[in-house]
Amino acid sequence: MPTAIDPQRRRLLTAGLALGLSGCAARAPFDPFLDLPSLPVAEVFTCGVASGAPQEDAVVLWTQLSRAAVQAAGFEAAEIPVGWELAQDAQFARALRSGIALARAADDYSVHLRVDGLAAHQRYWYRFRSLGAVSATGQTCTTPALWAAVASLKLVVVSGEQNPATWRVITENPPDLLLQLGSGMDADGARDLADYRARYAKRLADADLQAARAACAWLTVVGDAEIARGYAGPFDRHGSDKTRFLQRRAAAYQALFEHLPWAAAQRPQGAQMRLHQRLHWGRLLALHLLDGRQYRDRPDCPALAETSADFACAPVVARAREPGLLGRAQEDWLLQGVSQRAAQWNLIAQIQALLPGAGGGDGWDAFGAQRQRLLQQLLRAQVTDSLWVCQSLGGFAAAPLRLQSQARAQAMEWRAPQAQADEAAPSGGFFELTFTPQSLLVDAIQVLPGGARQVLAREHIRAPGLQRLPLHGALPV
């Protein structure tokens, strides 16, 4: 059982809290526990460090203290001070900012620190210190200013869990941003907050994943696997009581917030959490990340019973309106964002595949009316070229959409392999997207067990408004 805090440590804690409340001073003390004996990093920062939610003048830095380390240090406080430091170089010779953040027991001692007042389109290095240990060093960046001309952007897209070789390849040659389709955590069987927390802690203990999370800023599109497979709004696939399921969803959202670098504004409110996000990379790219689960209606149950148990569905009855996958408010948010035409490229990311037949009865095929309306409105807004990335059966896919007057989409679908359970099998894969004002280069990359990377497919697309390079495999919508 943890011991009571002795008077000297209580004074340290009080001083640390006072510093934390004083704001982000330019050079505030970095270590709130200078006189504590050093603890191994692996015992304190067991989930590593990460960053996300980059903006032109700010970024969110994340870490988490292990409860075991907090108890071993003799603390039972609701808040533990954590020192942080931001620099312009990996050696911290040009330290820029430092201060004290608070790790709260209510958030499983996680830290979501927004550092603002930063320069646009700059790379930074950061680290944390608490309970006598210094974390690994992370690398992150701010985005270019909204209307800035940008020469290029390298974006890596991964889907779900990957084998160690894939994370090592990404770490060795980090992109500007990494987009994750699904958090990679499987919540199947989890029932309460402790279950969800334990699953994240197990997954994030992987050293190769930690290194990849520290290598660049991460963005995440949340699916159903990390909440409850096949859920739709307040319904799970088993037809459980709605009140009970919403309690479970609230626990899942809380654990999701605690273990990813979300901005504080995305903190869940009970069973509600804003998961759709938008990010601009200067004038070059606008990313629209969608939530395909929280606001969806239950689709009609399939006619064949054997296909109806994998997702929440409703008996076929007359409806006052067609079921929707995004919810009307999120659909309007998406259309407003892409209609602004503030960027040369639009990338729309979600778990469900847009193209016909790619998502089974749980995908867009069950919501044909909303899909058709969405494409028609994109056409009216003259959003003539967009890239849609999503998970797909047997892997994940990217589809450049070219809308025509009949509100049909032409696309070439590339698939990248997901990780295999057996390390002897191909280790996994990802998309590497290189955006420039003139073109987009899409590489579907397979990573072999030894770390060698192979380009399985490559497609080169001219920029919107310019002549496109030929596409094949047209798929009507």
Side-chain angles (χ1 to χ4, degrees):
M1 177 177 294
T3 59
I5 303 176
D6 63 41
Q8 183 180 13
R9 285 181 172 175
R10 187 179 298 277
R11 287 194 298 272
L12 276 171
L13 182 59
T14 302
L17 294 177
L19 283 169
L21 294 174
S22 68
C24 300
R27 294 293 294 147
F30 174 45
D31 187 358
F33 296 100
L34 290 172
D35 72 336
L36 285 182
S38 295
L39 295 176
V41 175
E43 294 182 10
V44 177
F45 299 100
T46 54
C47 293
V49 302
S51 66
Q55 299 179 359
E56 62 182 80
D57 62 348
V59 69
V60 172
L61 308 181
W62 176 93
T63 194
Q64 185 180 43
L65 308 180
S66 75
R67 285 184 176 268
V70 171
Q71 293 173 352
F75 291 107
E76 295 177 334
E79 297 175 331
I80 301 295
V82 178
W84 62 271
E85 190 172 15
L86 187 78
Q88 295 175 297
D89 66 301
Q91 292 73 39
F92 290 83
R94 293 181 292 156
L96 184 67
R97 304 275 291 280
S98 62
I100 304 294
L102 298 177
R104 294 179 168 87
D107 291 332
D108 206 21
Y109 293 109
S110 62
V111 173
H112 299 77
L113 172 70
R114 176 186 162 97
V115 183
D116 53 20
L118 302 177
H121 204 189
Q122 294 293 318
R123 194 166 298 280
Y124 296 99
W125 286 260
Y126 63 95
R127 61 187 178 186
F128 297 91
R129 181 161 186 157
S130 190
L131 304 178
V134 180
S135 73
T137 295
Q139 185 177 175
T140 191
C141 66
T142 51
T143 66
L146 180 60
W147 297 107
V150 182
S152 66
L153 165 69
K154 186 170 79 169
L155 173 71
V156 160
V157 182
V158 298
S159 180
E161 187 54 272
Q162 294 290 334
N163 278 357
T166 302
W167 299 129
R168 290 193 291 267
V169 166
I170 292 172
T171 302
E172 291 165 3
N173 186 23
D176 297 305
L177 294 173
L178 185 143
L179 173 60
Q180 181 180 214
L181 300 177
S183 71
M185 195 278 285
D186 188 353
D188 193 33
R191 287 293 177 265
D192 56 25
L193 182 56
D195 286 346
Y196 284 101
R197 283 173 169 172
R199 289 166 190 253
Y200 277 108
K202 181 179 179 180
R203 178 177 184 263
L204 296 181
D206 180 82
D208 293 304
L209 174 58
Q210 286 187 18
R213 278 166 52 100
C216 63
W218 280 44
L219 307 171
T220 300
V221 176
V222 177
D224 60 339
E226 51 269 84
I227 312 298
R229 286 193 179 276
Y231 85 95
F235 299 97
D236 70 6
R237 69 187 189 200
H238 306 296
S240 303
D241 175 74
K242 285 199 298 183
T243 300
R244 184 176 301 172
F245 175 68
L246 286 175
Q247 291 173 345
R248 178 185 174 189
R249 198 176 85 177
Y253 284 170
Q254 176 64 24
L256 179 72
F257 174 79
E258 292 170 352
H259 292 87
L260 272 71
W262 302 105
Q266 291 176 275
R267 175 185 297 277
Q269 302 297 320
Q272 306 296 320
M273 182 177 180
R274 183 181 174 116
L275 297 172
H276 56 286
Q277 310 164 67
R278 182 174 293 122
L279 181 144
H280 289 272
W281 194 265
R283 287 190 322 202
L284 184 62
L285 176 68
L287 293 96
H288 314 272
L289 313 183
L290 303 183
D291 175 3
R293 288 288 170 182
Q294 187 173 182
Y295 311 112
R296 72 156 56 192
D297 298 314
R298 289 185 297 174
D300 293 338
C301 288
L304 298 178
E306 62 266 26
T307 65
S308 64
D310 293 336
F311 58 91
C313 63
V316 179
V317 296
R319 296 176 182 259
R321 60 176 177 82
E322 291 289 336
L325 188 145
L326 299 178
R328 198 57 188 260
Q330 185 179 192
E331 179 185 339
D332 292 343
W333 169 87
L334 172 62
L335 290 169
Q336 180 184 25
V338 297
S339 299
Q340 291 174 350
R341 302 173 68 183
Q344 293 167 285
W345 296 97
N346 280 287
L347 186 146
I348 303 169
Q350 69 166 147
I351 300 301
Q352 290 75 29
L354 181 72
L355 300 177
D362 196 32
W364 272 104
D365 285 353
F367 305 94
Q370 187 180 52
R371 176 170 58 187
Q372 187 70 7
R373 182 175 66 247
L374 184 62
L375 292 174
Q376 289 172 341
Q377 291 175 327
L378 288 172
L379 175 68
R380 283 197 293 270
Q382 298 182 338
V383 182
T384 54
D385 288 87
S386 295
L387 186 76
W388 198 291
V389 294
C390 55
Q391 286 185 341
S392 186
L393 298 178
F396 58 110
L401 304 179
R402 182 170 61 182
L403 302 180
Q404 300 174 324
S405 58
Q406 296 83 9
R408 296 162 72 85
Q410 286 189 332
M412 169 61 189
E413 186 178 37
W414 306 282
R415 294 182 184 272
Q418 291 182 287
Q420 305 296 317
D422 184 0
E423 179 70 17
S427 296
F430 56 89
F431 282 114
E432 187 173 85
L433 311 179
T434 304
F435 293 89
T436 72
Q438 294 77 32
S439 66
L440 164 62
L441 182 66
V442 181
D443 284 340
I445 295 173
Q446 181 184 52
V447 181
L448 300 179
R453 49 182 277 169
Q454 294 182 339
V455 178
L456 296 182
R458 168 170 288 182
E459 197 75 21
H460 195 190
I461 307 170
R462 292 290 179 91
L466 301 177
Q467 180 182 358
R468 294 173 63 94
L469 295 180
L471 286 178
H472 52 283
L475 297 173
V477 174

